[in-house]
Amino acid sequence: MKIRKATETDIDQVWEIFSKVIETGDTYVFNPNTPKKDLKKHWFADYMETYVIEENGQILGTYIIKPNQIDLGNHIANCSYMVNPNSHGKGIGKKLCEHSLEIAKENQFIGIQFNIVVSTNKGAVELWKKYGFEIIGTTPKGFRHPKLGLVDTYIMYKHLKK
């Protein structure tokens, strides 16, 4: 498996992952009916870097890294990760997380903050905790889960040692 920067030629495969992940409506704030034309602003915008992990020409997962805020808050990174549901259980999320930590350090970020981790997404919460992210805040009923109704969301943070 190889992780590399995404290119325009990856958009179709990234869309395949993005659309599968958001269609359930249980882990991301994106509307499950988000059209493909919106992928560029959500996953390929000028102010972010997009990476993919591939094996034999097939993209298995992707992540973005960007400043969490503008100007005086741009020293903290924000990342989002997606793994093709058909590739779960292969350690892809771990590999993407490890890679993003290195990229964040290379880009002089001093920390990474996840602004909204759905509390019911136990796999993600546990993975981020394994990599040293801490829950630093909770937004009560911050997410409209399609099956569970209003559920809490977490703000998670990891300081990056220099």
Side-chain angles (χ1 to χ4, degrees), residues 101-112:
L101 292 170
E102 291 305 314
I103 294 297
K105 290 174 188 173
E106 286 175 18
N107 285 307
Q108 308 301 309
F109 289 113
I110 66 165
I112 297 177

Side-chain angles (χ1 to χ4, degrees), residues 8 31 37 39 47 49-50 97 107 130 136 144 162:
E8 288 280 322
N31 183 321
K37 68 177 177 58
L39 181 65
Y47 59 89
E49 291 182 8
T50 306
C97 182
N107 285 307
K130 282 182 190 171
I136 60 168
R144 291 190 304 269
K162 296 245 171 182

Side-chain angles (χ1 to χ4, degrees), residues 12-64:
D12 288 339
Q13 284 192 66
V14 171
W15 170 251
E16 193 176 315
I17 294 167
F18 184 92
S19 62
K20 282 181 185 175
V21 169
I22 68 168
E23 77 181 358
T24 57
D26 60 356
T27 57
Y28 273 91
V29 297
F30 303 114
N31 183 321
N33 297 316
T34 297
K36 185 176 180 180
K37 68 177 177 58
D38 288 355
L39 181 65
K40 285 191 180 185
K41 73 178 179 184
H42 294 313
W43 217 257
F44 285 88
D46 293 341
Y47 59 89
M48 62 182 62
E49 291 182 8
T50 306
Y51 289 87
V52 294
I53 184 167
E54 67 178 352
E55 186 174 54
N56 300 321
Q58 185 68 33
I59 295 175
L60 307 176
T62 180
Y63 80 90
I64 59 170

